[in-house]
Amino acid sequence: ELKVVNTALAPLYDNGCFEDRIPCTAEEEAAGWELFEKGEAAQFDANDQEAAVAAYTEASERYRHQPSEHRLGVFYLYGNEDNGTPPDYALAKKWLWRAAKSMEVNSPSSWCCVAEMFAEGLGVDPDPRKALWLWLAAAQQGYVNAQNALADEYAASGRMKSSHEWRLVAAEQGLVQAQFAVGAEFLTGTGCGQDLTAARVWLSKAAAQDYPGALELLQDPKHFPVKG
C-alpha cells in the first residue's frame, strides 16, 4: 500500500521527491482547530461562506491545518452555485495539493479531489493514469467514494472483474449506489458469475434505501419469476 501511495502522490511534488510537513506546536495545532471550528460554524450554521473561507484561509496559511486546506480546496474546486461563485482551479490546486500531501488520516478525501482534477483536466492537463493511482491509494485506505470511483474507472476501461471487485468492497461498506450496481452485476453476470441470490440481496439493500430502479428490478418477473 505504501508503494501505491508514494506512486500516487509523486506527481504532486515538482521534483518528484517527498518532503516532510513542518510539525506544529501543540498551541499552533489548537489554534488551527479553533479556526477550523469557526469556519465550520460559519459555513454550516450561519451559511456565511465568506466568513468560512476567511477562517479556513487563516488556519491554512498560519498553521498548515490540513482539514482547512481541504475545505478551501473543495470550495475553489466546485465554487458555489447558490451565490454565483465560479470554480477557481488554480486555488483549488494550491490548497488540495497541500492537503493531499499531508498524509493525515483524512488525506484520502483530498486525494479523490485531486484525482477528479486529473481525470477531468480541471486546472491541470488531463491524466487518467495519475487519477487512477490516486483513487487506488484512497481506496486501499478504505475511502468508500474512492472505491466506487475506482470501480467506475475500471469499468470504463473494460476491466469488469476489477470493477466488480472494488464495487463490492464499496457496497459492503454501505454505499447505496454501489449496492445497486453490484446487485445489477450479479443479475447479469457482469464482471462476476451470475448469482440471482446475491443479486436479490444487494438490490434489496438498495431498495431499502429507496435507490431508484432497485425495487423495479426486484419486482421484474423477467429477473425474479413469481412462484405460483
Side-chain angles (χ1 to χ4, degrees):
E1 290 185 6
L2 182 59
K3 180 180 179 180
V4 170
V5 171
N6 287 344
T7 301
L9 298 187
L12 308 188
Y13 296 83
D14 292 338
N15 58 6
C17 299
F18 290 89
E19 55 197 44
D20 292 331
R21 196 176 181 88
I22 300 173
C24 292
T25 65
E27 291 78 9
E28 290 171 336
E29 184 175 1
W33 278 111
E34 184 177 348
L35 284 165
F36 176 76
E37 294 300 333
K38 181 179 178 181
E40 296 288 275
Q43 181 170 2
F44 298 108
D45 297 335
N47 196 28
D48 187 341
Q49 189 73 61
E50 184 177 352
V53 169
Y56 295 142
T57 300
E58 184 177 357
S60 300
E61 291 181 341
R62 293 185 63 183
Y63 304 114
R64 294 297 299 269
H65 187 254
Q66 194 271 351
S68 296
E69 293 171 345
H70 177 77
R71 284 278 194 254
L72 281 176
V74 169
F75 170 73
Y76 289 120
L77 178 58
Y78 299 111
N80 188 326
E81 291 184 358
D82 293 338
N83 62 20
T85 303
D88 186 327
Y89 297 132
L91 285 175
K93 179 179 178 180
K94 171 184 176 180
W95 293 115
L96 286 171
W97 259 235
R98 280 177 52 163
K101 292 189 290 185
S102 72
M103 297 298 289
E104 294 189 18
V105 67
N106 58 339
S107 294
S109 59
S110 300
W111 301 347
C112 288
C113 291
V114 175
E116 182 178 344
M117 294 180 73
F118 278 126
E120 300 185 18
L122 304 176
V124 295
D125 292 332
D127 195 322
R129 182 175 176 80
K130 290 178 181 177
L132 191 67
W133 276 106
L134 285 157
W135 273 318
L136 178 59
Q140 289 184 343
Q141 297 299 311
Y143 195 72
V144 65
N145 290 330
Q147 294 163 352
N148 198 54
L150 188 60
D152 287 340
E153 290 301 305
Y154 281 140
S157 62
R159 299 171 63 180
M160 303 312 298
K161 184 175 184 295
S162 295
S163 174
H164 174 77
E165 289 171 348
W166 276 110
R167 192 90 67 193
L168 184 58
V169 173
E172 288 170 342
Q173 290 204 71
L175 189 68
V176 64
Q177 59 264 44
Q179 293 173 341
F180 174 79
V182 165
E185 288 167 358
F186 276 123
L187 192 63
T188 59
T190 302
C192 58
Q194 188 179 41
D195 187 332
L196 295 183
T197 300
R200 187 186 294 275
V201 167
W202 288 110
L203 289 172
S204 296
K205 289 179 182 291
Q209 300 178 70
D210 298 320
Y211 193 81
L215 186 60
E216 288 79 2
L217 282 179
L218 285 167
Q219 294 177 340
D220 189 339
K222 293 186 298 183
H223 301 304
F224 302 102
V226 178
K227 296 181 181 179

